[in-house]
Amino acid sequence: MERYPVNLPYVGIASFAKLPVVEDLATVEADVAILGVPWDAGVGYRPGARFGPRGIREYSTRFAFGERGLKPDGYWDIELGRRRLAGVRIVDCGDTDALYLDVGYTFDGISAAVRALAGRGALVVALGGDHSVTFPVVRGLDAAGPFDVVHLDAHLDYTDEVHGVRLANSSPIRRIGELPFVGHIAQLGIRGIRAREDAYRAALARGNTVVTMAQLRERGVAAVLDALPLRHGRCYVSVDIDALDPAIAPGTGSPEFDGFSHALMREMLEGIAARWPVVAFDLVEVSPPFDPGGLTQMLAAQLVLEFAGAICEARAGSRGS
Ligand code: MN
Ligand code: MN
């Protein structure tokens, strides 16, 4: 008996886009693996991103269309005039385990889960969680390296330490920059009057590309991407939801005004996927307690599907199919 012949968004179990759940990572057979990383102990001001994976899943049911999960032939993008994610196997792998106050246990588990999924050949899509989780996620991709990094954020996240704390959400890009298999780092969309000059100088000293929001708008996405010296030819992408304007993404701990529109972010993600193979990506800092209308969670779910669609389309194209 078919349980949900109609299957409206609010009916049934809210896995990501109502896709199949596979929690035994050793058995995953998929092109794309959604992995929740519910952790926000790295936040210095407004916590809540620990509820991000659940919230994004809840609102992603809007994109489950009329059947259980995405239709086998994916979705039709009216602006592109073609289908995306057709035949792509996507599964929801549940969450990494978390233990409050135990960053070692939690981060080791994150790296192990990412390593297991990448080893199964899946594109890992990590849903934060605060931005501190990007370090253990990238650390788990050691076998996929070397690769470059594109970091989309209002903030540099390049602080070395805060009174000895080195793994908070202000430091993940600094930490991944220390990994031997991480090459160039491009930090795009940076803005706000709380940026730290020492972190900026340190990012430049490492050789990172730093492009502010105003510079990005003036030069345009294509020109900025074309100028990036990504020497490994493939990249990891970290998307902090606060890269987007708080008018459309208010549900986050550290909003900064004058951010990406959805159109500009879409152009950015399409541009990245068209230029370089993407080894994995994360979307972090969605904080449901600050998102009572659900707008940010809805946007996050859509960005995941759009970016995964662009990445998988580029992969299929490069195989000549
Ligand atoms: Mn960040
Ligand atoms: Mn940020």
Side-chain angles (χ1 to χ4, degrees), residues 259-315:
F260 281 80
S261 65
H262 176 240
L264 194 66
M265 179 56 75
R266 189 172 143 113
E267 184 185 356
M268 173 64 72
L269 298 177
E270 294 285 332
I272 292 168
R275 282 170 178 77
W276 307 286
V278 174
V279 297
F281 73 91
D282 66 55
L283 195 160
V284 298
E285 296 285 357
V286 173
S287 184
F290 296 109
D291 195 33
L295 200 59
T296 315
Q297 296 157 84
M298 221 177 280
L299 175 62
Q302 182 167 336
L303 288 174
V304 166
L305 287 168
E306 289 180 313
F307 196 25
I311 292 167
C312 292
E313 183 179 89
R315 284 184 173 187

Side-chain angles (χ1 to χ4, degrees), residues 167 181 187 234 275 314:
L167 296 175
F181 52 88
Q187 306 186 258
R234 55 216 178 98
R275 282 170 178 77

Side-chain angles (χ1 to χ4, degrees), residues 234-273:
R234 55 216 178 98
C235 62
Y236 179 88
V237 180
S238 184
V239 183
D240 186 326
I241 199 72
D242 70 32
L244 290 126
D245 195 89
I248 58 168
T252 192
S254 299
E256 302 287 351
F257 303 108
D258 194 30
F260 281 80
S261 65
H262 176 240
L264 194 66
M265 179 56 75
R266 189 172 143 113
E267 184 185 356
M268 173 64 72
L269 298 177
E270 294 285 332
I272 292 168

